[in-house]
Coordinates of all heavy atoms in Angstrom, one line a residue:
G152 N -23.5 32.6 9.2 CA -22.3 31.8 9.1 C -22.4 30.9 7.9 O -23.3 30.9 7.1
T153 N -21.4 30.0 7.8 CA -21.4 29.0 6.7 C -21.2 27.6 7.3 O -20.3 27.4 8.2 CB -20.2 29.3 5.8 OG1 -20.4 30.6 5.2 CG2 -20.2 28.3 4.7
V154 N -21.9 26.6 6.8 CA -21.7 25.2 7.2 C -21.3 24.5 5.9 O -22.1 24.5 4.9 CB -23.0 24.6 7.8 CG1 -22.8 23.2 8.1 CG2 -23.4 25.4 9.1
N155 N -20.2 23.8 5.9 CA -19.7 23.1 4.8 C -19.6 21.6 5.1 O -18.8 21.3 6.1 CB -18.3 23.7 4.4 CG -17.9 23.1 3.0 OD1 -18.7 22.8 2.2 ND2 -16.6 23.0 2.8
Y156 N -20.3 20.8 4.4 CA -20.3 19.4 4.6 C -19.3 18.7 3.6 O -19.3 19.0 2.4 CB -21.7 18.7 4.4 CG -22.7 19.3 5.3 CD1 -23.6 20.3 4.7 CD2 -22.9 19.0 6.6 CE1 -24.6 20.8 5.5 CE2 -23.9 19.5 7.4 CZ -24.7 20.4 6.9 OH -25.7 21.0 7.6
I157 N -18.4 17.9 4.2 CA -17.3 17.3 3.3 C -17.6 15.8 3.1 O -17.9 15.1 4.1 CB -16.0 17.5 4.0 CG1 -15.7 18.9 4.3 CG2 -14.9 16.8 3.1 CD1 -15.6 19.8 3.1
T158 N -17.7 15.4 1.9 CA -17.9 14.0 1.5 C -16.6 13.3 1.4 O -15.5 13.9 1.2 CB -18.7 13.9 0.2 OG1 -17.9 14.5 -0.8 CG2 -20.0 14.6 0.3
P159 N -16.6 12.0 1.6 CA -15.3 11.2 1.5 C -14.7 11.3 0.2 O -15.3 11.4 -0.9 CB -15.8 9.8 1.9 CG -17.1 9.9 2.5 CD -17.7 11.1 1.9
A160 N -13.4 11.2 0.2 CA -12.6 11.1 -1.1 C -12.6 9.7 -1.6 O -12.5 8.7 -0.8 CB -11.2 11.6 -0.9
P161 N -12.6 9.5 -2.9 CA -12.6 8.1 -3.4 C -11.3 7.4 -3.1 O -10.2 8.1 -3.2 CB -12.8 8.3 -5.0 CG -13.4 9.7 -5.1 CD -12.9 10.5 -4.0
P162 N -11.3 6.2 -2.8 CA -10.0 5.4 -2.5 C -9.4 5.0 -3.8 O -10.0 5.0 -4.9 CB -10.5 4.2 -1.7 CG -11.9 3.9 -2.3 CD -12.5 5.3 -2.6
Q163 N -8.1 4.7 -3.8 CA -7.4 4.1 -4.9 C -7.6 2.6 -5.0 O -7.7 2.1 -6.1 CB -5.9 4.5 -4.8 CG -5.6 5.9 -5.2 CD -4.2 6.1 -5.6 OE1 -3.8 6.1 -6.8 NE2 -3.3 6.2 -4.6
E164 N -7.5 2.0 -3.8 CA -7.7 0.5 -3.8 C -9.1 0.2 -3.8 O -9.9 0.8 -3.1 CB -6.9 -0.1 -2.6 CG -5.4 0.1 -2.7 CD -4.7 -0.6 -1.5 OE1 -5.4 -1.1 -0.6 OE2 -3.5 -0.6 -1.5
V165 N -9.5 -0.9 -4.5 CA -10.9 -1.3 -4.5 C -11.3 -1.9 -3.2 O -10.6 -2.7 -2.6 CB -11.1 -2.4 -5.7 CG1 -12.5 -2.9 -5.7 CG2 -10.7 -1.8 -7.0
G166 N -12.5 -1.4 -2.8 CA -13.0 -1.9 -1.5 C -14.4 -1.3 -1.3 O -14.8 -0.4 -2.0

Side-chain angles (χ1 to χ4, degrees):
T153 301
V154 179
N155 190 29
Y156 304 102
I157 305 298
T158 59
Q163 286 200 98
E164 295 186 351
V165 177

